[in-house]
Amino acid sequence: MEIKTIVYVILAIILAPIAGGLLSRIDRRLTAWFQGRFGPPILQPFYDVIKLLGKDRQVVNYWQIFCVHIYLVAAILCVALFAMQGDLLMIFFVMTIGAVFMVAGAMAAPSPYSQLGAQRELIQMLTYEPLLVIVFVGIYFVTGSFKIDEILAYDRPIFLLLPLLYLVLTFALTIKLRKSPFDISASHHAHQELVRGVLTEYSGPYLAILEIAHWYDIVLILAICSLFWSTSFIGMVILLAVTYLAEIVIDNVTPRMTWKWMLTYVWAVGISLSFFNMALLYAKNF
Amino acid sequence: MSTIVPFGPQHPVLPEPLHLKLVLEDEIVKEALPTLGYVHRGLETLASIRDMDQMVQIVERVCGICSCIHAHTYCMCVEGMMGIEVPQRADFLRIIWSELHRMHSHMLWLGLLADALGMESLFMHVWRLRERVMDVAEATAGNRVIISVNKIGGVRRNMSPDQLRWIVQVVDELETELDKIKSVLTNDYTVKKRTVGKGVLTYQQAYELGAAGPQLRGSGVAQDMRMTGYSAYKYIDFAPVVEKDGDSWARTMVRFRELYQSIDIVRQLIAKIPDGEIAVKVKGKPSGEIVCRSEQPRGELMYYVKASGDKYLDRVRIRTPTFANVPPLLAMLPGCEMADVTVIALSIDPCISCTER
Amino acid sequence: MAFETKNLTKNQLVGEVLALKNQGYRLVTMSCVDLGESFDLLYHFDRETQLVHLRLTLPKGEVAPSISGVYFAALLIENETRDHFGVIFDGLVLDFGGNFYLEEEVKKYPFCKVTVGKSETAGEGA
Amino acid sequence: MGFFKDLLHKSRMKSPWLIHFDCGSCNGCDIEILACLTPVYDVERFGILNIGNPKHADILVVSGTVNYRNAKALKNIYDQMPEPKAVIAIGACGTSGGVFREAYNVLGGVDKVIPVDVYVPGCPAKPEAIIDGVVLALEKLKERQPAKETEPLVADLKKAREFYENREDRQVTG
Amino acid sequence: MLDMTATVVRNFLTKTHTRLYPFKVREVFDNVRGNLDNNIEECILCGMCQKKCPSQCITVDKEAKIWEVDPYACVYCGICVDNCPTNCLFMHKEYRKPAKVKESNQMLQLKGPEKKKKATE
Amino acid sequence: MLVPQMLGISIVLPFIAAVLCLINVPPLRSMLVIGTGVVVSLASLVLVQGGAFSLSPESIFGINPDGLIAVLDFALLFVILGISYQLKSKLVATLTILQLVPLAFLELFMKPGENMGPALYGDQFSMIMCMVISIIGSLICVYGLAYMKEHEHHLKLTASRQGRFFFFMILFLGAMNGLVFANNLLWLYFFWEVTTFCSFMLIKHDDTEVAVTNATRALWMNMLGGVAFVFGMILFRSQGLPLSLQEIITAESASKLVLLPIGLLCFAGFTKAAQLPFQSWLCGAMVAPTPVSALLHSSTMVKAGVYLVVRLAPAFAGTLFSTYVALFGAFTFLAAAVLALSQSNGKKILAYSTISNLGMIVACAGINTPAAMSAAILLIVFHAISKGLMFLCVGTIEQKIGSRDIEDMRGLMGVMPKTAMVAVVGIVTMFLPPFGALLSKWMAVEASAHLPLVVLMLAMGSALTMVFWGRWLGLIMTSVVPEKGLQAEEQSSLIRVPLVFLATSAIIISFVAPGLYSAMVLPVLERFYSADLYVAAQGMISNNIGMFALYPVFVILALGVIYAARVSSAKGFFKRGSYVTPYVCGLQDPTDSRRLGFKGPLGVWADFKTTNYYMENLIGETRISSWINLVAVGILIILLAGVF
Ligand code: SF4
Ligand code: SF4
Ligand code: SF4
Ligand code: SF4
Ligand code: SF4
Ligand code: SF4
Ligand code: SF4
Ligand code: SF4
């Protein structure tokens, strides 16, 4: 491995949670503004996490702790692999380690909320995973590779060729961000029928670890989004900003839906959008 | 193969301490059994150690949301037994406050429903609008929530012409604001997806299970206690708001349209309010039995009072609307999705504190 | 403003309630009053905002017939009355056995003027 | 180490997550607590979130009179909160039982069951008062202080029952 | 599907509606029922307030000249104020501040009301 | 290097040992089974050293082998005919006759021996298969020793029938080894039919009514494949091709005419590999004692089916038929995953997951690129290890808790911690990176990227896979913290050793996957493909479109696991934290903090209880099986019609 890659990896591992935290703070402030409120202070997400780290440890089942640490490791690993410019599909599969262990951790606790949350989380995974694979395949179609370095070497913004697939990716993003209408398995605040779903039985430092892992996750998936406009920095920033703003608006204007609706709707819409986009690509090529 | 989930008494979406034991299968509710008693205080027994004037303050705290209607109905009972004629202005003022309470209660409920739907921004928005009504209550009665304006024989506070004008201005503003969010409830695909067809209560069920208020009217039964014309309602034009479908959406629409109705009634009241005294002197002790009914935001409220000329009343019995709405709720839950439990529960606008007293 | 009531005996009650139901009446509620030696059970029915009242005077210690078979909604009211007065209803569809609102710590029937211990009477309903 | 300690203290002050339990309130206080969250008062300015789950919460906000049935739930919820934690009793009911003190099913205040750190009077307590109450409670969170001693729940229930049983006849039971 | 958008965008573009409470205190309406107080010098210790209070939180001890209210049981209804024959009871516009320890509001009358006593009788 | 001897040990020795197993002296049988296992395994390892070979035995015990095989063939078919009479199954009888007659025709009139190359041929693919069969198969047989003792104890049998049982188990191994080394299609056919017969006898072993019905179903479905096989051979001969496998796949004249018999052989493979719509025999095989299921699913029987399809793949590379095979496999992958999702019966989940994985292998054969073929071969290996392990786990668990329902496995960590740990390893190696099964899946998805419909089905299927494994993984861990740590678990070493051996090898072989690939898979592929091969270097497996950084992921995750295990160990935790009950809205039992549940209505205690979502009403087996079969039949018809 070259020195440059190692530096990238280390930078990514350090910067990702900071970026994730800041994003989450921007998210909360913007949400507050959309609701006509003032919103939390600048460093709020970090205060939250530090406070949680300083709370007493309580546990329902120690497998949970095991699982939550694996989730964190997997999330960091994904970001590192991305920084190494590895294979998109491999990163995706490594990402599922984290997701699966989060579910396993939630199921380890004998609590109805956590268990139902785990079931729903599984259904969310079921919903977004095929979509992500399709998006990656779409990228492969355009660039001829799954490897990030070669995707970055592609000389046109992928977004222009795969606008609909980008939309499909934002479905996955919404689910990963736990935003309405897909905040069915866990939510930022406990305002849902499952209390906090998969997060219900984690407390104190373990909740903090989950939160940090979640930041890594968000950064990763936003990084994947950024691949869609990798040719220019400004294009990338604009794409991400618009995407994130749209996410927040959608979060604020839609109620939470049920898992059945999510599965059928997202699969139907996502798959047809993908096929449409593929058809467009074919049409262009011939 | 089933999952058993406790729902309440402490649950973030259900603000009221009601416990439901849900038996689920793939998130479909198979059985729902309630436990009550988490708010039971036994305040009806206080009638035996508090005199009838003090009871006004106590029944007002049966429930903080439409507190003044409780006090009003209780006062109607005692006044009825003693044959007291309340000054007309007092009647009008009582109803103005009642309608303001109905408005804030409906908006509060709309916010909670939005929260149960996971639509935080609507919750925030509606509760922000609600604060306007709270300000009116605070300015006119001296307290935001429990306004303590009723007393036997009339009301304790008057409203100045300035205040009345200001109220009209506030309800006008509210009307325009409500217009802006109207389409969210009437048109929005996602909102309708979560409410339409959820928790259907047929006309027959609503009628036989004894549903009350918007729950009853949402199923097509045009019954509203205000039609009996108690207090100042006899001077006002209005017709009960009715929806046919009997689902959560219909109940939502009933309440939403009632907001407009209340705004209209407040305008009419303020246009017609007479001058004069606001209270009469009360002497003596009541005796006999009486039943009084009124319309709360959640439906029909009934007081039964028995007295025998003693210092203390013999019996104060309160039948609150949510008490009547619990059996229909239990009938609606089986077969719905777990995610809809909160929506359906909130669609009856549960008020457990008055259910259990 | 006293109101008209129709006085009934225990045996007439369910039949009369059924008749009212067939005429389209809805159960509003039931009120119970302790008269010292007996309980007054008042049933309030409504049709298009007009009320009809039935009165059953029940000597203490007797079991009242339940109307929850006719009006399901009566279930909550009868359980409540059981909690507060210790009146036992025969044929209640879902009997909370005096623990509807109250925990075991509350040992007396709070609404009764003559204090009776709860545990001794659970069987007979005095 | 001092830096981290200060940071932790600051974070605790800046991020109090609430759990609200309605322990037999008339809803007057409940809706005022909720009103704090809404735009007009917006307590998220102080990092306050209504988190709804005892395991995540720092401050337990209790409204209502506390009766025999919900006292047990209250105790359970309090026990499930990890330290450091604080309890705020809201309203006349939460602090003493209010108008209902002498009703038969009322224990009379949150402090009969769990140690209370801040009392917020009012009927209902005003949103401003609730905000003040939270600010006051933060001091307890900052440096974890040993919880105030309360007798175990069962003993308390017994005492309350005695109180109720020894009341004069004309009161309540006639 | 996006019917709420107009509203949230409007919220976004207008000023926030937040009252920045501890930093900016809004003006209180007149006649608001806040903390109960007694102008103890005017009080004739007649016990009317004690009798009328629905919460039974006032204790008047004529002998010891002590007037006491438990502000944590008081429900701020103002009935006592309405019924006080000397109008010595009054309510502040401000609410009572939260406290870490419950303390009752006890007042000892040092010197009785002057002539007024007769006038009100 | 001793190839003939080793082949003899692999193929003939089991036949002899099987007969010896019939002697009813339990200790002797145990030694026999263990001994055969060890010897056969060693032989397979020795074989690997030698590299590719081809061999035509002159005689077996002095008999002309071709003649011997022919005689045995007919003998076997007549036995089956006899059985069909016993079972009163006209279907089986018809299918047997449909084989007997054409086979006689083939033997008598079509000069089957013409231009025949070597009768036996072994390349690295055969050797991988042989290792899988010999090592995993033997472990399962060893496990079977302990299992069957308990099993017969449960059934309260007076006369042991283990002789018969192990006869067929061991025979199975020999037949499978013969199958993978056979180059002469007639030989292959013979071994093929032996596996059919063995599986029938093993499924029927308990002789209950269900067992007999299910065994019969297995028999006729596999006989259907046998019929296709025979007709395939006849067609080969009618086109003048020799009945040599190697000849067929290397034949330059992959014209449309040859496709039909290849299609028929593939069909035979599909039936054996329980592809849709033939999945029901494999699910029905669940009634057999667990070692049988383990054997059928992991190392034998179904693997024979995919082995044949994968072997034949180069012969139809680049044809439309190939694409249809890919589609067919992908559909099986998806549909079986859906069915697995709807199951709570642990063995059924395993069964459907097997079918699903086999579908993936078939799909890879259809995709027919070097990447896909690597995926197929690797998946055969890794699936065999993990699936064998999972079956043994379920069997062990069932004998302890008396249920194979995964809902009953909640909290297994508290009841049988060691087995539960092994099961966790089994599950994790089935579907999570960096383990081999997932590595193959990754290869498969990347290889299929140019076939949108296939990749879509693979993507959806793999998401479903994630769900049903994920929840199983989770619920094993569901438990309260035990008061005084975990108790030790007693277990016979005949059970413990196979479990632990398989679990460790699942991890270790995944770790050496790059080496395995270079040594065993690459040589096979290089014969047929030149471009786009994966290169394994420095622990990374990569080709021109993708790269799997196996070692970095492996190492970091391993460190993560060690770290997580340290911080979460029960002892370590209790020093630093405290135990609390789950959140149930404040309704726990205040007096007993470890009692799970809440006080519900009427003051009645409700114990904690949750279930997974099986969506019985939506995707229940009975609900959708017929639809799925219909689609599968449709694809199959198009597929076979395509080759005409
Ligand atoms: S219905 Fe509720 S809000 Fe209305 S008066 Fe009754 S208790 Fe109060
Ligand atoms: S609706 Fe869900 S995501 Fe939105 S604020 Fe509430 S809890 Fe958070
Ligand atoms: S449930 Fe009862 S207390 Fe709550 S708002 Fe309704 S009536 Fe009032
Ligand atoms: S203090 Fe007053 S407003 Fe608050 S709960 Fe008690 S009675 Fe209701
Ligand atoms: S009523 Fe007024 S004068 Fe009399 S004791 Fe009370 S405060 Fe004093
Ligand atoms: S008249 Fe005098 S004694 Fe009588 S109530 Fe008034 S102040 Fe008290
Ligand atoms: S304000 Fe009301 S509760 Fe308070 S002391 Fe006066 S009468 Fe009593
Ligand atoms: S439980 Fe297992 S060992 Fe026992 S009889 Fe059944 S299959 Fe055989």
Side-chain angles (χ1 to χ4, degrees), chain F residues 15-29:
Chain F
F15 277 77
I16 299 166
V19 177
L20 292 177
C21 274
L22 289 172
I23 304 167
N24 199 9
V25 184
L28 184 70
R29 187 186 302 123

Side-chain angles (χ1 to χ4, degrees), chain A residues 178-180 183 187-192 251 256, chain B residues 115 118-120:
Chain A
R178 301 195 188 118
K179 287 210 173 281
S180 254
D183 52 344
S187 56
H188 315 308
H189 322 159
H191 290 301
Q192 65 146 305
D251 182 34
R256 175 173 46 250
Chain B
D115 195 41
M119 203 169 174
E120 205 187 24

Side-chain angles (χ1 to χ4, degrees), chain E residues 38 43-49 60 67 84-86 88-89:
Chain E
N38 190 355
C43 177
I44 53 173
L45 296 168
C46 65
M48 197 60 177
C49 47
V60 183
W67 182 93
C84 174
T86 64
C88 64
L89 278 180

Side-chain angles (χ1 to χ4, degrees), chain F residues 203-404:
Chain F
I203 297 171
K204 192 168 109 9
H205 179 77
D206 279 345
D207 273 335
T208 57
E209 204 171 313
V210 232
V212 175
T213 346
N214 290 351
T216 314
R217 190 184 319 127
L219 186 59
W220 77 253
M221 283 189 171
N222 278 299
M223 293 303 275
L224 205 62
V227 173
F229 204 116
V230 175
F231 278 98
M233 288 194 291
I234 290 183
L235 281 171
F236 276 129
R237 284 311 293 148
S238 68
Q239 286 162 10
L241 285 166
L243 290 180
S244 157
L245 200 52
Q246 290 306 316
E247 200 64 28
I248 290 164
I249 50 177
T250 47
E252 292 302 306
S253 60
S255 69
K256 205 182 168 205
L257 277 172
V258 224
L259 269 183
L260 178 57
I262 289 178
L264 285 173
L265 289 192
C266 285
F267 179 82
F270 295 161
T271 55
K272 188 133 287 201
Q275 296 295 284
L276 298 172
F278 306 110
Q279 80 281 26
S280 55
W281 78 257
L282 190 59
C283 296
M286 295 289 98
V287 297
T290 299
V292 177
S293 320
L295 200 63
L296 295 184
H297 281 265
S298 62
S299 50
T300 62
M301 197 66 179
V302 295
K303 289 289 151 63
V306 285
Y307 166 76
L308 188 61
V309 178
V310 173
R311 255 285 183 251
L312 290 170
F316 54 78
T319 60
L320 196 58
F321 174 76
S322 187
T323 314
Y324 276 121
V325 171
L327 212 57
F328 177 73
F331 179 73
T332 303
F333 176 64
L334 172 60
V338 172
L339 286 169
L341 188 71
S342 72
Q343 295 301 318
S344 68
N345 178 332
K347 275 177 101 180
K348 275 221 160 150
I349 295 176
L350 294 180
Y352 280 122
S353 131
T354 302
I355 297 165
S356 180
N357 273 299
L358 298 172
M360 166 89 84
I361 297 171
V362 169
C364 286
I367 296 164
N368 229 330
T369 63
M373 296 303 281
S374 341
I377 297 174
L378 288 178
L379 190 53
I380 290 181
V381 180
F382 289 113
H383 175 253
I385 303 175
S386 298
K387 193 49 74 60
L389 175 59
M390 276 317 288
F391 266 107
L392 300 192
C393 281
V394 171
T396 314
I397 294 165
E398 190 183 4
Q399 285 195 329
K400 169 110 181 188
I401 66 171
S403 164
R404 55 173 72 161

Side-chain angles (χ1 to χ4, degrees), chain E residues 1-54:
Chain E
M1 195 161 168
L2 301 174
D3 296 81
M4 190 68 196
T5 318
T7 306
V8 294
V9 170
R10 210 174 319 112
N11 282 339
F12 187 73
L13 296 177
T14 50
K15 213 166 84 238
T16 63
H17 299 261
T18 306
R19 297 170 184 161
L20 295 172
Y21 171 61
F23 313 111
K24 269 186 223 150
V25 182
R26 78 183 155 128
E27 225 180 287
V28 189
F29 294 104
D30 288 339
N31 294 324
V32 161
R33 296 195 302 268
N35 194 17
L36 177 70
D37 211 343
N38 190 355
N39 211 341
I40 188 72
E41 306 307 318
E42 306 283 303
C43 177
I44 53 173
L45 296 168
C46 65
M48 197 60 177
C49 47
Q50 176 181 6
K51 201 165 142 238
K52 289 285 180 185
C53 171

Side-chain angles (χ1 to χ4, degrees), chain F residues 147 150-151 154-155 398-399:
Chain F
Y147 183 92
E150 180 80 18
H151 181 71
H154 277 206
L155 293 182
E398 190 183 4
Q399 285 195 329

Side-chain angles (χ1 to χ4, degrees), chain B residues 16 62-66 70 296 298 320 322 349-355, chain D residues 25-27:
Chain B
E16 308 241 343
V62 166
C63 162
I65 300 178
C66 50
H70 275 285
Q296 280 191 330
R298 286 156 191 80
T320 53
T322 305
D349 198 358
C351 198
I352 306 304
S353 69
C354 64
T355 304
Chain D
S25 131
C26 79
N27 284 356

